[in-house]
Amino acid sequence: MSYTLTRARKIQDTAAKALIWLGASLTVGFLLWILWYILSNGLAHVNWEFVSSDYTSIGEASGIWPMIVSTIYMVLASIGVAAPIGIMTAIYLTEYAKPGSKLVKVIRFCTESLAGIPSIIFGLFGLTFFVGVLGLGFSVLSGALTLSILILPVIIRTTEEALMAVPQSYREGSYGLGAPKIYTITRLILPSAMPGIVTSIVLSIGRIIGESAPVFLTAGMVARIPESLMDSGRTLTVHLYKLTQELYTIHEWNQAYATATVLIVVVLVINTITKLIASRFNKATY
Amino acid sequence: MMNKISIKDLNLYYGNGANHALHGINLDIPARQVTALIGPSGCGKSTLLRCLNRMNDLIEGVKIDGLVTLDEQDIYQNVDVASLRIKVGMVFQKANPFPMSIYDNIAYGLRAQGVTDKKTLNEVVERSLRSAALWDEVKDRLKSPAFGLSGGQQQRLCIARTIAMEPDVILMDEPTSALDPIATKKIEDLIQTLKQKYTIVIVTHSMQQARRISDRTAFFLMGDLVEHNNTNILFSTPADDRTRGYVNGDFG
Ligand SMILES: Nc1ncnc2c1ncn2[C@@H]1O[C@H](COP(=O)(O)OP(=O)(O)OP(=O)(O)O)[C@@H](O)[C@H]1O
Ligand SMILES: [Mg+2]
């Protein structure tokens, strides 16, 4: 009896372990395979010329410099709009609002619903509202406003979690010393939550860089360096999307792979920066 | 003898009235003495302590009626909570230094009040650390993180942080319950020195501790203040059977 039990248990254990290993190696394997596939096809075509020169669709120039600049503008503008709003909302939710109040429930319902909506719907909304109704046209500004709505839930939720993870004993200690609320929030709570907040912003940057449909629906596709927020701009991902629409020659394939390579490198760099910032802050807060 | 704090018919309810945690408490707390609050777990000692600096304001759904005065002034009427908490400082059960340097921990409260003058801050930091009997141990590493201190040192740091605000009253909620006997002894000695300047109210689970350090003791049971008296009298000849049972270790 006990023999069969242990035997059954052993088989279960082995099976479970095998499944876990299979899952893990599939995940890692696919990731490495995709990375290798893109990089091996693209790396050879990435050079200074490619990164730093202009682009024309008829082919006399096929660099990605305007896309890089547009991407940076898009990231800065979207974060510039969404981060203050998101962080302040999270501060309101954790530090000011009564837990369980109507307004908290409404905000929470909105952020959760927003998080689940397919991003093209945001694109459609931005196209109607920012581009059309507000008359901002196809512009970096329209794109950034649309993307801000898209990333707001992530920033709010992650910042909220970071704030809630700050020990209640810090707040008690601070209020027990008669410190004002604003002082407590800016000097004690926000610094303690900073790694989480930075992480939420970096995650959002990844999201901004990765989106395509909501971006070209609102910021357009003009492959020139935008001169102002009111100009259209084409981000790297939109560029890649556009390139994949017209893959006829080997040159076009190479360009697509090279662009993908740059995108992957950018994402890897962002991830590394996050890790560095997080560990910096961990050291700073001991 | 002058009463620093006076509590009259104080009732406290948690959860919008669902839990009646303090039942008509009447207690006077004399100035420059140590008053110990004892009683079994959940009897309302911490709750009462938090009424004295209005920390219960931070808890949702707390209702209070009755009167608490500090120097004859109702602390629930026309009083700025921040200045009340400066006058009535609090040390918590678990040492809760902030994630910053030793120096910044002590300076925190003053900086929060807008004090920026370096000389003032330096003086206050040194004086407070000396008062908390911590100066000699940390004077060479004021700029290093407070988390690097031992548990007992952290608790004395929290006492120093409170002293830095020059309070009249210091509330302590089981300040030694997480400490070993040697660290506990240091804090108890410190309390004996501090009472020359400050009125101290301390919650403790240890009856030996109450006997060692307090001048007066109040015994609580399930939200009632059963009895309060001079510590010696309360422990040697308690008036109430329930007090006798508790101090003799029959329950709790
Ligand atoms: N934040 C709170 N919300 C609701 N009820 C609470 C809260 N804090 C305490 N209570 C309740 O009030 C009563 C008294 O609690 P209190 O913490 O004051 O007891 P205590 O005497 O300090 O106990 P201990 O010795 O375990 O610290 C308990 O019934 C407790 O459940
Ligand atoms: Mg308690």
Side-chain angles (χ1 to χ4, degrees):
Chain A
M1 178 64 190
S2 73
Y3 173 71
T4 46
L5 245 187
T6 35
R7 202 184 138 90
R9 168 80 47 83
K10 250 188 201 147
I11 293 175
Q12 270 179 10
D13 269 5
T14 322
K17 251 183 215 154
L19 274 177
I20 292 167
W21 270 102
L22 187 69
S25 36
L26 275 179
T27 317
V28 176
F30 270 120
L31 179 70
L32 291 178
W33 183 48
I34 292 172
L35 276 181
W36 174 81
Y37 194 81
I38 302 284
L39 293 181
S40 66
N41 280 302
L43 218 43
H45 309 288
V46 178
N47 49 41
W48 183 241
E49 159 101 38
F50 175 70
V51 170
S52 66
S53 56
D54 278 348
Y55 177 86
T56 52
S57 52
I58 22 176
E60 66 265 34
S62 53
I64 55 167
W65 181 239
M67 290 34 121
I68 292 180
V69 176
S70 297
T71 306
I72 293 173
Y73 284 176
M74 192 64 77
V75 166
L76 290 179
S78 310
I79 296 293
V81 174
I85 299 178
I87 293 172
M88 284 197 273
T89 307
I91 291 177
Y92 173 77
L93 288 174
T94 54
E95 309 299 324
Y96 287 92
K98 290 191 177 157
S101 77
K102 272 251 164 57
L103 188 58
V104 173
K105 279 189 190 137
V106 170
I107 296 179
R108 197 144 294 151
F109 178 77
C110 289
T111 51
E112 267 156 30
S113 316
L114 279 178
I117 294 176
S119 60
I120 186 137
I121 309 244
F122 289 95
L124 204 56
F125 169 78
L127 178 63
T128 323
F129 188 69
F130 296 125
V131 177
V133 176
L134 292 189
L136 301 175
F138 292 105
S139 62
V140 172
L141 185 60
S142 295
L145 290 173
T146 308
L147 288 174
S148 320
I149 305 179
L150 192 85
I151 59 176
L152 212 47
V154 181
I155 296 192
I156 294 176
R157 194 104 56 89
T158 329
T159 307
E160 217 187 326
E161 273 162 25
L163 291 173
M164 287 195 294
V166 175
Q168 193 60 26
S169 64
Y170 291 1
R171 294 182 181 88
E172 287 179 345
S174 180
Y175 295 134
L177 288 168
K181 191 153 199 166
I182 285 291
Y183 190 89
T184 307
I185 291 172
T186 53
R187 297 306 168 85
L188 186 62
I189 296 175
L190 279 181
S192 309
M194 208 38 101
I197 297 175
V198 171
T199 310
S200 85
I201 288 175
V202 176
L203 283 176
S204 308
I205 294 178
R207 186 89 199 265
I208 296 166
I209 295 177
E211 283 297 343
S212 52
V215 185
F216 64 69
L217 282 176
T218 52
M221 291 203 186
V222 175
R224 250 180 297 129
I225 293 181
E227 275 166 18
S228 76
L229 281 178
M230 298 309 290
D231 266 2
S232 169
R234 184 193 284 195
T235 64
L236 276 171
T237 303
V238 171
H239 184 55
L240 181 57
Y241 169 80
K242 193 77 170 63
L243 290 177
T244 55
Q245 303 290 298
E246 299 161 8
L247 293 173
Y248 303 116
T249 65
I250 186 74
H251 177 65
E252 283 160 351
W253 275 98
N254 290 344
Q255 248 185 294
Y257 276 117
T259 309
T261 302
V262 172
L263 263 173
I264 284 182
V265 171
V266 169
V267 170
L268 289 181
V269 167
I270 288 179
N271 280 354
T272 319
I273 292 175
T274 330
K275 293 252 163 63
L276 284 179
I277 292 175
S279 68
R280 246 294 166 66
F281 272 111
N282 283 344
K283 250 182 252 150
T285 50
Y286 327 119
Chain B
M1 182 162 307
M2 211 196 98
N3 289 323
K4 190 74 194 173
I5 295 176
S6 171
I7 303 164
K8 293 213 170 60
D9 299 320
L10 180 73
N11 285 287
L12 183 144
Y13 308 82
Y14 283 115
N16 294 310
N19 178 4
H20 191 183
L22 293 176
H23 311 157
I25 306 295
N26 285 288
L27 180 64
D28 288 334
I29 293 168
R32 292 170 200 229
Q33 292 205 1
V34 178
T35 302
L37 311 182
I38 62 168
S41 196
C43 66
K45 307 179 294 288
S46 302
T47 303
L48 180 64
L49 201 68
R50 287 199 305 263
C51 287
L52 305 183
N53 68 344
R54 294 186 55 175
M55 276 314 252
N56 286 326
D57 290 14
L58 301 180
I59 301 172
E60 209 47 50
V62 168
K63 297 260 177 301
I64 295 176
D65 63 61
L67 182 69
V68 181
T69 61
L70 172 73
D71 295 326
E72 249 99 85
Q73 240 210 320
D74 187 346
I75 63 166
Y76 283 88
Q77 304 283 319
N78 304 323
V79 162
D80 172 37
V81 182
S83 35
L84 170 71
R85 290 185 185 145
I86 291 173
K87 266 198 208 157
V88 184
M90 188 165 213
V91 176
F92 298 83
Q93 176 164 5
K94 205 167 160 287
N96 58 347
F98 301 139
M100 41 184 90
S101 73
I102 295 173
Y103 185 99
D104 290 342
N105 262 277
I106 310 288
Y108 182 92
L110 284 178
R111 284 178 174 151
Q113 298 304 321
V115 179
T116 50
D117 180 46
K118 264 219 127 24
K119 204 163 147 267
T120 316
L121 290 175
N122 288 343
E123 277 166 19
V124 171
V125 168
E126 176 167 351
R127 180 156 35 81
S128 314
L129 285 169
R130 280 191 195 280
S131 306
L134 192 59
W135 176 252
D136 290 333
E137 288 159 69
V138 302
K139 62 171 185 273
D140 299 323
R141 47 171 171 152
L142 292 175
K143 295 285 169 207
S144 56
F147 288 171
L149 299 173
S150 74
Q153 289 172 326
Q154 287 188 13
Q155 194 60 296
R156 275 179 282 145
L157 180 80
C158 293
I159 295 176
R161 194 170 69 184
T162 306
I163 291 174
M165 303 309 289
E166 300 189 354
D168 289 349
V169 181
I170 303 177
L171 309 174
M172 301 185 173
D173 194 349
E174 303 187 39
T176 62
S177 63
L179 303 180
D180 63 60
I182 295 171
T184 299
K185 171 87 170 50
K186 279 197 181 142
I187 302 237
E188 290 185 359
D189 292 347
L190 176 60
I191 290 173
Q192 291 307 309
T193 345
L194 291 178
K195 81 171 192 189
Q196 294 160 12
K197 261 186 96 176
Y198 307 98
T199 304
I200 294 172
V201 186
I202 182 171
V203 170
T204 176
H205 256 127
S206 152
M207 280 176 280
Q208 288 78 9
Q209 184 169 62
R211 281 179 118 134
R212 280 195 300 266
I213 63 173
S214 74
D215 303 293
R216 295 184 64 81
T217 299
F219 170 60
F220 291 81
L221 194 59
M222 292 163 68
D224 291 312
L225 170 55
V226 175
E227 184 173 352
H228 62 101
N229 213 327
N230 278 336
T231 298
N232 287 334
I233 300 176
L234 186 124
F235 278 98
S236 58
T237 50
D240 195 291
D241 284 346
R242 291 170 293 176
T243 316
R244 184 171 313 117
Y246 185 72
V247 300
N248 289 339
D250 294 350
F251 68 94

